[in-house]
Amino acid sequence: MTLRVMEKGDLASFVERLIASEPGAVGPVRKDGKHVFARLASVEDLDLAYTTTLLPPKKYLFPPQETLLRFRLGAPPVVEPVLEAPPLVVIGVHPCDLRGIWATDRAFGDDHVDTNYRARREAITLIGADCLPDEHCFCTSVGSHLPEPASFDLFVTDIGDAVTVEIGSERGRALLERYARSREATAADLAGLQKRRHAKEAAVKARLNVDVQMLPLLLESVSTSPLWEQLGAKCLSCGNCNLVCPTCYCFDVGDLMQLNLEEGERIRRWDGCTLVDFATVAGGHNFRREAKSRVRHRYYRKFQYLMTRYGRSFCTGCGRCSRSCLAHINPPETINALLAEAEREEA
Ligand code: SF4
Ligand code: SF4
């Protein structure tokens, strides 16, 4: 890993040149008091001093709705695959959202390679940026507070008067060489980086009271906990927690016919396991009819089934579901309550 340093003014020039020269650049933009990832028209649009965005950058890899193919009925029918993957630079991605992209890379690239996801993934350049947490972040509990070396092209950390830039790929190195003025890092810069990271770790207040690696085991022992009943009674089945989550990747596929009933499109849209009809199958049977089983399923996806398979939590600790849940259901309280219950039973 190579570490370079840029003066703050040089970072602004770098971003300005990226926006002017690359086919597309997006980043965190302030909108109606919140932050969203959106197209950057100039460096003034970019606001790197943000805690979180409403939706994660996942939306550029796996859009909320996309056309998979167009078809025309006839003899023979005509089918044209649709694959849109324009080059894009995504600026300001936090470590937890880089971890989210690691998770969707697994989901769309391991057993069944998803061609559309893969093409967009290859077309996207990721420039990460470090952050300071709010009261909902619990990234340190799931090990997603630091940028992983293979997860970004460049990663920027504010160390006061300057920023450090970690180079994560040859693509990132080429961008830096082409558009930025930077220098080698000194011992003082490294000390500044360490200080900033320690300050971030100290600022994370929400936490899981259990080693994340123990969670599959814990969840195995609490599948009949009364807590699921209580959470099910509170849950509105609104699906917000699924929509905002960087690692939720469920979708539905349907055909949209034109009025001429001859042509149409196959569409996929985000779906969510907390929605009432998510588990309804042919014949009308819903195998997760009760809210408690849907809420429980969501937790088992994040901390049990996929963790057992990949050895890492499929929750990044980003806190988006905690912020958006009108019923105040959130992972730290849920996991800590389950842990307390397991400990009481053990005593
Ligand atoms: S956001 Fe909260 S209320 Fe809505 S489905 Fe998720 S857990 Fe239930
Ligand atoms: S489950 Fe909640 S905290 Fe965890 S990654 Fe998803 S939105 Fe973030």
Side-chain angles (χ1 to χ4, degrees), residues 11-42:
L11 175 64
S13 312
F14 173 53
V15 172
E16 196 70 81
R17 293 187 70 192
L18 276 178
I19 294 169
S21 313
E22 293 296 305
V26 296
V29 169
R30 199 173 171 82
K31 193 175 170 201
D32 302 329
K34 308 269 185 201
H35 284 90
V36 293
F37 275 99
R39 186 67 64 163
L40 300 170
S42 83

PDB file of all heavy atoms in Angstrom, residues 11-42:
ATOM      1  N   LEU A  11      -6.458  18.858  -3.022  1.00  0.00           N
ATOM      2  CA  LEU A  11      -7.558  17.881  -3.088  1.00  0.00           C
ATOM      3  C   LEU A  11      -8.722  18.481  -3.885  1.00  0.00           C
ATOM      4  O   LEU A  11      -9.311  17.812  -4.750  1.00  0.00           O
ATOM      5  CB  LEU A  11      -8.024  17.492  -1.677  1.00  0.00           C
ATOM      6  CG  LEU A  11      -9.238  16.571  -1.626  1.00  0.00           C
ATOM      7  CD1 LEU A  11      -8.927  15.209  -2.248  1.00  0.00           C
ATOM      8  CD2 LEU A  11      -9.736  16.375  -0.183  1.00  0.00           C
ATOM      9  N   ALA A  12      -9.016  19.747  -3.602  1.00  0.00           N
ATOM     10  CA  ALA A  12     -10.116  20.405  -4.330  1.00  0.00           C
ATOM     11  C   ALA A  12      -9.804  20.465  -5.832  1.00  0.00           C
ATOM     12  O   ALA A  12     -10.669  20.179  -6.669  1.00  0.00           O
ATOM     13  CB  ALA A  12     -10.338  21.812  -3.767  1.00  0.00           C
ATOM     14  N   SER A  13      -8.550  20.775  -6.184  1.00  0.00           N
ATOM     15  CA  SER A  13      -8.193  20.826  -7.616  1.00  0.00           C
ATOM     16  C   SER A  13      -8.290  19.439  -8.247  1.00  0.00           C
ATOM     17  O   SER A  13      -8.718  19.303  -9.392  1.00  0.00           O
ATOM     18  CB  SER A  13      -6.755  21.320  -7.812  1.00  0.00           C
ATOM     19  OG  SER A  13      -6.535  22.448  -7.059  1.00  0.00           O
ATOM     20  N   PHE A  14      -7.877  18.432  -7.482  1.00  0.00           N
ATOM     21  CA  PHE A  14      -7.959  17.052  -7.977  1.00  0.00           C
ATOM     22  C   PHE A  14      -9.407  16.695  -8.322  1.00  0.00           C
ATOM     23  O   PHE A  14      -9.711  16.194  -9.414  1.00  0.00           O
ATOM     24  CB  PHE A  14      -7.398  16.114  -6.900  1.00  0.00           C
ATOM     25  CG  PHE A  14      -7.556  14.651  -7.165  1.00  0.00           C
ATOM     26  CD1 PHE A  14      -7.120  14.096  -8.370  1.00  0.00           C
ATOM     27  CD2 PHE A  14      -8.125  13.800  -6.219  1.00  0.00           C
ATOM     28  CE1 PHE A  14      -7.247  12.721  -8.615  1.00  0.00           C
ATOM     29  CE2 PHE A  14      -8.267  12.442  -6.461  1.00  0.00           C
ATOM     30  CZ  PHE A  14      -7.828  11.904  -7.660  1.00  0.00           C
ATOM     31  N   VAL A  15     -10.314  16.991  -7.386  1.00  0.00           N
ATOM     32  CA  VAL A  15     -11.731  16.666  -7.615  1.00  0.00           C
ATOM     33  C   VAL A  15     -12.265  17.460  -8.804  1.00  0.00           C
ATOM     34  O   VAL A  15     -12.982  16.926  -9.663  1.00  0.00           O
ATOM     35  CB  VAL A  15     -12.560  16.939  -6.332  1.00  0.00           C
ATOM     36  CG1 VAL A  15     -14.048  16.797  -6.605  1.00  0.00           C
ATOM     37  CG2 VAL A  15     -12.136  16.000  -5.213  1.00  0.00           C
ATOM     38  N   GLU A  16     -11.883  18.736  -8.875  1.00  0.00           N
ATOM     39  CA  GLU A  16     -12.351  19.575  -9.990  1.00  0.00           C
ATOM     40  C   GLU A  16     -11.894  18.995 -11.331  1.00  0.00           C
ATOM     41  O   GLU A  16     -12.667  18.919 -12.295  1.00  0.00           O
ATOM     42  CB  GLU A  16     -11.789  21.000  -9.806  1.00  0.00           C
ATOM     43  CG  GLU A  16     -12.468  22.067 -10.628  1.00  0.00           C
ATOM     44  CD  GLU A  16     -13.876  22.372 -10.155  1.00  0.00           C
ATOM     45  OE1 GLU A  16     -14.019  23.114  -9.198  1.00  0.00           O
ATOM     46  OE2 GLU A  16     -14.836  21.861 -10.777  1.00  0.00           O
ATOM     47  N   ARG A  17     -10.665  18.532 -11.378  1.00  0.00           N
ATOM     48  CA  ARG A  17     -10.150  17.980 -12.635  1.00  0.00           C
ATOM     49  C   ARG A  17     -10.805  16.636 -12.950  1.00  0.00           C
ATOM     50  O   ARG A  17     -11.072  16.332 -14.110  1.00  0.00           O
ATOM     51  CB  ARG A  17      -8.627  17.831 -12.553  1.00  0.00           C
ATOM     52  CG  ARG A  17      -7.936  19.184 -12.475  1.00  0.00           C
ATOM     53  CD  ARG A  17      -6.439  19.052 -12.561  1.00  0.00           C
ATOM     54  NE  ARG A  17      -6.018  18.637 -13.913  1.00  0.00           N
ATOM     55  CZ  ARG A  17      -4.798  18.223 -14.203  1.00  0.00           C
ATOM     56  NH1 ARG A  17      -3.883  18.166 -13.278  1.00  0.00           N
ATOM     57  NH2 ARG A  17      -4.487  17.863 -15.440  1.00  0.00           N
ATOM     58  N   LEU A  18     -11.095  15.849 -11.916  1.00  0.00           N
ATOM     59  CA  LEU A  18     -11.818  14.582 -12.138  1.00  0.00           C
ATOM     60  C   LEU A  18     -13.188  14.858 -12.753  1.00  0.00           C
ATOM     61  O   LEU A  18     -13.606  14.215 -13.723  1.00  0.00           O
ATOM     62  CB  LEU A  18     -12.050  13.860 -10.804  1.00  0.00           C
ATOM     63  CG  LEU A  18     -10.962  12.971 -10.222  1.00  0.00           C
ATOM     64  CD1 LEU A  18     -11.408  12.426  -8.887  1.00  0.00           C
ATOM     65  CD2 LEU A  18     -10.654  11.830 -11.175  1.00  0.00           C
ATOM     66  N   ILE A  19     -13.891  15.827 -12.159  1.00  0.00           N
ATOM     67  CA  ILE A  19     -15.239  16.151 -12.636  1.00  0.00           C
ATOM     68  C   ILE A  19     -15.180  16.633 -14.088  1.00  0.00           C
ATOM     69  O   ILE A  19     -16.004  16.246 -14.924  1.00  0.00           O
ATOM     70  CB  ILE A  19     -15.895  17.219 -11.724  1.00  0.00           C
ATOM     71  CG1 ILE A  19     -16.135  16.638 -10.337  1.00  0.00           C
ATOM     72  CG2 ILE A  19     -17.207  17.722 -12.320  1.00  0.00           C
ATOM     73  CD1 ILE A  19     -16.518  17.674  -9.290  1.00  0.00           C
ATOM     74  N   ALA A  20     -14.179  17.445 -14.391  1.00  0.00           N
ATOM     75  CA  ALA A  20     -14.094  18.018 -15.739  1.00  0.00           C
ATOM     76  C   ALA A  20     -13.647  16.985 -16.771  1.00  0.00           C
ATOM     77  O   ALA A  20     -14.045  17.052 -17.938  1.00  0.00           O
ATOM     78  CB  ALA A  20     -13.122  19.194 -15.724  1.00  0.00           C
ATOM     79  N   SER A  21     -12.848  16.004 -16.357  1.00  0.00           N
ATOM     80  CA  SER A  21     -12.206  15.133 -17.346  1.00  0.00           C
ATOM     81  C   SER A  21     -12.807  13.731 -17.432  1.00  0.00           C
ATOM     82  O   SER A  21     -12.716  13.089 -18.478  1.00  0.00           O
ATOM     83  CB  SER A  21     -10.711  14.994 -17.033  1.00  0.00           C
ATOM     84  OG  SER A  21     -10.145  16.248 -16.770  1.00  0.00           O
ATOM     85  N   GLU A  22     -13.353  13.209 -16.350  1.00  0.00           N
ATOM     86  CA  GLU A  22     -13.886  11.846 -16.368  1.00  0.00           C
ATOM     87  C   GLU A  22     -15.336  11.875 -16.847  1.00  0.00           C
ATOM     88  O   GLU A  22     -16.020  12.891 -16.695  1.00  0.00           O
ATOM     89  CB  GLU A  22     -13.785  11.232 -14.970  1.00  0.00           C
ATOM     90  CG  GLU A  22     -12.359  10.991 -14.511  1.00  0.00           C
ATOM     91  CD  GLU A  22     -11.632   9.966 -15.373  1.00  0.00           C
ATOM     92  OE1 GLU A  22     -12.130   8.842 -15.532  1.00  0.00           O
ATOM     93  OE2 GLU A  22     -10.539  10.293 -15.898  1.00  0.00           O
ATOM     94  N   PRO A  23     -15.810  10.764 -17.424  1.00  0.00           N
ATOM     95  CA  PRO A  23     -17.168  10.770 -17.992  1.00  0.00           C
ATOM     96  C   PRO A  23     -18.277  11.041 -16.971  1.00  0.00           C
ATOM     97  O   PRO A  23     -19.316  11.590 -17.305  1.00  0.00           O
ATOM     98  CB  PRO A  23     -17.316   9.362 -18.577  1.00  0.00           C
ATOM     99  CG  PRO A  23     -15.935   8.838 -18.708  1.00  0.00           C
ATOM    100  CD  PRO A  23     -15.090   9.526 -17.689  1.00  0.00           C
ATOM    101  N   GLY A  24     -18.067  10.665 -15.713  1.00  0.00           N
ATOM    102  CA  GLY A  24     -19.103  10.927 -14.705  1.00  0.00           C
ATOM    103  C   GLY A  24     -18.504  10.865 -13.321  1.00  0.00           C
ATOM    104  O   GLY A  24     -17.646  10.018 -13.052  1.00  0.00           O
ATOM    105  N   ALA A  25     -18.924  11.767 -12.442  1.00  0.00           N
ATOM    106  CA  ALA A  25     -18.441  11.734 -11.055  1.00  0.00           C
ATOM    107  C   ALA A  25     -19.617  12.009 -10.126  1.00  0.00           C
ATOM    108  O   ALA A  25     -20.427  12.915 -10.378  1.00  0.00           O
ATOM    109  CB  ALA A  25     -17.339  12.770 -10.839  1.00  0.00           C
ATOM    110  N   VAL A  26     -19.725  11.201  -9.072  1.00  0.00           N
ATOM    111  CA  VAL A  26     -20.778  11.401  -8.068  1.00  0.00           C
ATOM    112  C   VAL A  26     -20.127  11.431  -6.698  1.00  0.00           C
ATOM    113  O   VAL A  26     -19.012  10.936  -6.519  1.00  0.00           O
ATOM    114  CB  VAL A  26     -21.850  10.274  -8.118  1.00  0.00           C
ATOM    115  CG1 VAL A  26     -22.596  10.262  -9.434  1.00  0.00           C
ATOM    116  CG2 VAL A  26     -21.208   8.904  -7.857  1.00  0.00           C
ATOM    117  N   GLY A  27     -20.848  11.988  -5.727  1.00  0.00           N
ATOM    118  CA  GLY A  27     -20.319  12.056  -4.362  1.00  0.00           C
ATOM    119  C   GLY A  27     -21.408  12.546  -3.433  1.00  0.00           C
ATOM    120  O   GLY A  27     -22.532  12.857  -3.867  1.00  0.00           O
ATOM    121  N   PRO A  28     -21.101  12.625  -2.123  1.00  0.00           N
ATOM    122  CA  PRO A  28     -22.094  13.098  -1.155  1.00  0.00           C
ATOM    123  C   PRO A  28     -22.421  14.577  -1.365  1.00  0.00           C
ATOM    124  O   PRO A  28     -21.518  15.416  -1.394  1.00  0.00           O
ATOM    125  CB  PRO A  28     -21.413  12.862   0.191  1.00  0.00           C
ATOM    126  CG  PRO A  28     -19.960  12.745  -0.117  1.00  0.00           C
ATOM    127  CD  PRO A  28     -19.840  12.227  -1.497  1.00  0.00           C
ATOM    128  N   VAL A  29     -23.711  14.845  -1.502  1.00  0.00           N
ATOM    129  CA  VAL A  29     -24.201  16.202  -1.754  1.00  0.00           C
ATOM    130  C   VAL A  29     -25.272  16.492  -0.710  1.00  0.00           C
ATOM    131  O   VAL A  29     -26.090  15.612  -0.397  1.00  0.00           O
ATOM    132  CB  VAL A  29     -24.819  16.267  -3.179  1.00  0.00           C
ATOM    133  CG1 VAL A  29     -25.580  17.550  -3.396  1.00  0.00           C
ATOM    134  CG2 VAL A  29     -23.722  16.099  -4.236  1.00  0.00           C
ATOM    135  N   ARG A  30     -25.265  17.688  -0.151  1.00  0.00           N
ATOM    136  CA  ARG A  30     -26.271  18.041   0.860  1.00  0.00           C
ATOM    137  C   ARG A  30     -27.584  18.399   0.171  1.00  0.00           C
ATOM    138  O   ARG A  30     -27.608  19.199  -0.772  1.00  0.00           O
ATOM    139  CB  ARG A  30     -25.765  19.223   1.676  1.00  0.00           C
ATOM    140  CG  ARG A  30     -26.471  19.366   2.990  1.00  0.00           C
ATOM    141  CD  ARG A  30     -25.824  20.441   3.859  1.00  0.00           C
ATOM    142  NE  ARG A  30     -26.678  20.676   5.004  1.00  0.00           N
ATOM    143  CZ  ARG A  30     -26.681  19.910   6.087  1.00  0.00           C
ATOM    144  NH1 ARG A  30     -25.853  18.896   6.186  1.00  0.00           N
ATOM    145  NH2 ARG A  30     -27.519  20.176   7.085  1.00  0.00           N
ATOM    146  N   LYS A  31     -28.668  17.763   0.628  1.00  0.00           N
ATOM    147  CA  LYS A  31     -29.965  18.026   0.011  1.00  0.00           C
ATOM    148  C   LYS A  31     -31.052  17.970   1.087  1.00  0.00           C
ATOM    149  O   LYS A  31     -31.194  16.938   1.764  1.00  0.00           O
ATOM    150  CB  LYS A  31     -30.240  16.941  -1.050  1.00  0.00           C
ATOM    151  CG  LYS A  31     -31.391  17.258  -1.962  1.00  0.00           C
ATOM    152  CD  LYS A  31     -31.512  16.199  -3.040  1.00  0.00           C
ATOM    153  CE  LYS A  31     -32.797  16.397  -3.780  1.00  0.00           C
ATOM    154  NZ  LYS A  31     -33.245  15.199  -4.469  1.00  0.00           N
ATOM    155  N   ASP A  32     -31.786  19.059   1.267  1.00  0.00           N
ATOM    156  CA  ASP A  32     -32.863  19.124   2.270  1.00  0.00           C
ATOM    157  C   ASP A  32     -32.388  18.674   3.656  1.00  0.00           C
ATOM    158  O   ASP A  32     -33.087  17.916   4.349  1.00  0.00           O
ATOM    159  CB  ASP A  32     -34.069  18.280   1.832  1.00  0.00           C
ATOM    160  CG  ASP A  32     -34.608  18.724   0.489  1.00  0.00           C
ATOM    161  OD1 ASP A  32     -34.496  19.921   0.180  1.00  0.00           O
ATOM    162  OD2 ASP A  32     -35.116  17.861  -0.267  1.00  0.00           O
ATOM    163  N   GLY A  33     -31.185  19.095   4.040  1.00  0.00           N
ATOM    164  CA  GLY A  33     -30.686  18.770   5.380  1.00  0.00           C
ATOM    165  C   GLY A  33     -30.101  17.379   5.522  1.00  0.00           C
ATOM    166  O   GLY A  33     -29.638  17.011   6.598  1.00  0.00           O
ATOM    167  N   LYS A  34     -30.143  16.584   4.471  1.00  0.00           N
ATOM    168  CA  LYS A  34     -29.550  15.230   4.516  1.00  0.00           C
ATOM    169  C   LYS A  34     -28.465  15.156   3.446  1.00  0.00           C
ATOM    170  O   LYS A  34     -28.307  16.084   2.653  1.00  0.00           O
ATOM    171  CB  LYS A  34     -30.610  14.166   4.189  1.00  0.00           C
ATOM    172  CG  LYS A  34     -31.868  14.259   5.003  1.00  0.00           C
ATOM    173  CD  LYS A  34     -31.758  13.422   6.228  1.00  0.00           C
ATOM    174  CE  LYS A  34     -33.084  13.427   6.991  1.00  0.00           C
ATOM    175  NZ  LYS A  34     -32.921  13.064   8.372  1.00  0.00           N
ATOM    176  N   HIS A  35     -27.773  14.036   3.406  1.00  0.00           N
ATOM    177  CA  HIS A  35     -26.797  13.829   2.337  1.00  0.00           C
ATOM    178  C   HIS A  35     -27.235  12.672   1.445  1.00  0.00           C
ATOM    179  O   HIS A  35     -27.765  11.674   1.937  1.00  0.00           O
ATOM    180  CB  HIS A  35     -25.410  13.539   2.921  1.00  0.00           C
ATOM    181  CG  HIS A  35     -24.735  14.765   3.447  1.00  0.00           C
ATOM    182  ND1 HIS A  35     -24.882  15.190   4.747  1.00  0.00           N
ATOM    183  CD2 HIS A  35     -23.931  15.680   2.834  1.00  0.00           C
ATOM    184  CE1 HIS A  35     -24.197  16.301   4.927  1.00  0.00           C
ATOM    185  NE2 HIS A  35     -23.608  16.629   3.780  1.00  0.00           N
ATOM    186  N   VAL A  36     -26.997  12.860   0.162  1.00  0.00           N
ATOM    187  CA  VAL A  36     -27.305  11.797  -0.812  1.00  0.00           C
ATOM    188  C   VAL A  36     -26.128  11.713  -1.783  1.00  0.00           C
ATOM    189  O   VAL A  36     -25.458  12.710  -2.033  1.00  0.00           O
ATOM    190  CB  VAL A  36     -28.599  12.095  -1.616  1.00  0.00           C
ATOM    191  CG1 VAL A  36     -29.816  12.055  -0.731  1.00  0.00           C
ATOM    192  CG2 VAL A  36     -28.513  13.439  -2.349  1.00  0.00           C
ATOM    193  N   PHE A  37     -25.880  10.528  -2.310  1.00  0.00           N
ATOM    194  CA  PHE A  37     -24.915  10.440  -3.404  1.00  0.00           C
ATOM    195  C   PHE A  37     -25.609  10.944  -4.665  1.00  0.00           C
ATOM    196  O   PHE A  37     -26.693  10.480  -5.019  1.00  0.00           O
ATOM    197  CB  PHE A  37     -24.452   8.994  -3.603  1.00  0.00           C
ATOM    198  CG  PHE A  37     -23.316   8.613  -2.696  1.00  0.00           C
ATOM    199  CD1 PHE A  37     -23.548   7.901  -1.529  1.00  0.00           C
ATOM    200  CD2 PHE A  37     -22.012   8.987  -3.005  1.00  0.00           C
ATOM    201  CE1 PHE A  37     -22.497   7.565  -0.693  1.00  0.00           C
ATOM    202  CE2 PHE A  37     -20.953   8.664  -2.169  1.00  0.00           C
ATOM    203  CZ  PHE A  37     -21.197   7.948  -1.005  1.00  0.00           C
ATOM    204  N   ALA A  38     -24.978  11.925  -5.310  1.00  0.00           N
ATOM    205  CA  ALA A  38     -25.585  12.523  -6.507  1.00  0.00           C
ATOM    206  C   ALA A  38     -24.482  13.016  -7.438  1.00  0.00           C
ATOM    207  O   ALA A  38     -23.314  13.129  -7.044  1.00  0.00           O
ATOM    208  CB  ALA A  38     -26.491  13.689  -6.103  1.00  0.00           C
ATOM    209  N   ARG A  39     -24.879  13.310  -8.653  1.00  0.00           N
ATOM    210  CA  ARG A  39     -23.957  13.784  -9.691  1.00  0.00           C
ATOM    211  C   ARG A  39     -23.297  15.087  -9.246  1.00  0.00           C
ATOM    212  O   ARG A  39     -23.962  15.971  -8.677  1.00  0.00           O
ATOM    213  CB  ARG A  39     -24.799  14.008 -10.959  1.00  0.00           C
ATOM    214  CG  ARG A  39     -24.042  14.365 -12.222  1.00  0.00           C
ATOM    215  CD  ARG A  39     -23.172  13.283 -12.767  1.00  0.00           C
ATOM    216  NE  ARG A  39     -23.854  12.071 -13.215  1.00  0.00           N
ATOM    217  CZ  ARG A  39     -23.274  11.179 -14.019  1.00  0.00           C
ATOM    218  NH1 ARG A  39     -22.060  11.379 -14.484  1.00  0.00           N
ATOM    219  NH2 ARG A  39     -23.920  10.079 -14.366  1.00  0.00           N
ATOM    220  N   LEU A  40     -21.987  15.213  -9.451  1.00  0.00           N
ATOM    221  CA  LEU A  40     -21.263  16.438  -9.090  1.00  0.00           C
ATOM    222  C   LEU A  40     -21.090  17.294 -10.338  1.00  0.00           C
ATOM    223  O   LEU A  40     -20.499  16.844 -11.327  1.00  0.00           O
ATOM    224  CB  LEU A  40     -19.885  16.089  -8.521  1.00  0.00           C
ATOM    225  CG  LEU A  40     -19.871  15.216  -7.256  1.00  0.00           C
ATOM    226  CD1 LEU A  40     -18.443  14.750  -6.947  1.00  0.00           C
ATOM    227  CD2 LEU A  40     -20.456  15.970  -6.067  1.00  0.00           C
ATOM    228  N   ALA A  41     -21.594  18.514 -10.282  1.00  0.00           N
ATOM    229  CA  ALA A  41     -21.373  19.442 -11.399  1.00  0.00           C
ATOM    230  C   ALA A  41     -20.081  20.224 -11.185  1.00  0.00           C
ATOM    231  O   ALA A  41     -19.416  20.629 -12.136  1.00  0.00           O
ATOM    232  CB  ALA A  41     -22.554  20.398 -11.528  1.00  0.00           C
ATOM    233  N   SER A  42     -19.724  20.462  -9.911  1.00  0.00           N
ATOM    234  CA  SER A  42     -18.454  21.128  -9.603  1.00  0.00           C
ATOM    235  C   SER A  42     -18.027  20.692  -8.205  1.00  0.00           C
ATOM    236  O   SER A  42     -18.817  20.085  -7.457  1.00  0.00           O
ATOM    237  CB  SER A  42     -18.616  22.653  -9.656  1.00  0.00           C
ATOM    238  OG  SER A  42     -19.135  23.118  -8.440  1.00  0.00           O
TER     239      SER A  42
END
